[in-house]
Amino acid sequence: VTGTRLSVRAGHGTGYTRIGVLEDSEAVYVHAIGSGWAHITYGTATAYISTDYLERAMPAPWQLTTSGHFYEGDEAEVRWHDTYGATGYTATVHRDGIFVDSLSTKKPHFTLPEMAPGHYRVSVTATDGSYVSEPAYLHFEVLPIYELHYDANGGTGAPASQLRYGDRPLTLPSQVPVREGYRFLGWI
């Protein structure tokens, strides 16, 4: 932490209650960063501090990347570009600040299988311990599953029901129901 008496807040913004302060050079464990705020643990509470007053304790040569949105049961691929030529890597995975697993790989990527909901912190170390990555932060959440039923309203040929997972896109069926004396205009 840089600067004196950095406010620790109950949420990610200045409108949230101030629950404490951090002093200059005080170290914190950051779970995730987003929209200019760092999610930290402050005592036993979940808290937030402005990223304007953070600096990394140790620079790292690798930046981990992920892609896509992650929901319960998804897999997440984590990749990095190794310019140092390590012959193997060990990935360390924490969920909500608690150690979950350690994975070994000889390639600069790996897949996290079917993750449970939570905030994940993943870091990678060269097998010989010479290099450590910047951590990657992933968030897996439980989203609702919607079951869509199509009603032909007295007609025939309604499409089969579909499942929609959270905010993932859904392709409406092209199948057109038929009812004598009516013209199908679309689903609402």
Side-chain angles (χ1 to χ4, degrees), residues 2-149:
T2 63
T4 57
R5 304 195 51 81
L6 175 61
S7 293
V8 178
R9 302 209 174 258
H12 48 82
T14 56
Y16 287 88
T17 304
R18 183 173 147 179
I19 60 174
V21 295
L22 295 172
E23 301 296 333
D24 187 34
S25 299
E26 194 168 342
V28 293
Y29 176 79
V30 176
H31 297 284
I33 293 177
S35 301
W37 290 87
H39 170 211
I40 67 167
T41 300
Y42 183 73
T44 58
T46 295
Y48 295 84
I49 58 175
S50 170
T51 57
D52 292 341
Y53 303 96
L54 285 180
E55 65 180 27
R56 296 187 196 286
M58 183 175 109
W62 301 326
Q63 178 66 47
L64 303 182
T65 60
T66 60
S67 61
H69 299 281
F70 306 105
Y71 304 109
E72 184 175 20
D74 278 355
E75 294 181 344
E77 185 175 46
V78 179
R79 304 183 146 277
W80 59 96
H81 180 68
D82 179 6
T83 57
Y84 297 93
T87 57
Y89 313 91
T90 301
T92 306
V93 181
H94 290 81
R95 184 178 75 226
D96 298 325
I98 299 170
F99 174 79
V100 174
D101 202 356
S102 184
L103 310 159
S104 295
T105 179
K106 292 192 178 290
K107 297 181 180 184
H109 61 84
F110 66 92
T111 300
L112 296 170
E114 298 189 17
M115 305 305 284
H119 295 279
Y120 286 79
R121 178 180 182 266
V122 180
S123 58
V124 175
T125 306
T127 304
D128 65 5
S130 58
Y131 303 109
V132 180
S133 71
E134 293 286 343
Y137 298 96
L138 309 169
H139 178 73
F140 289 83
E141 59 186 304
V142 178
L143 292 177
I145 298 174
Y146 303 99
E147 185 170 2
L148 278 72
H149 299 278

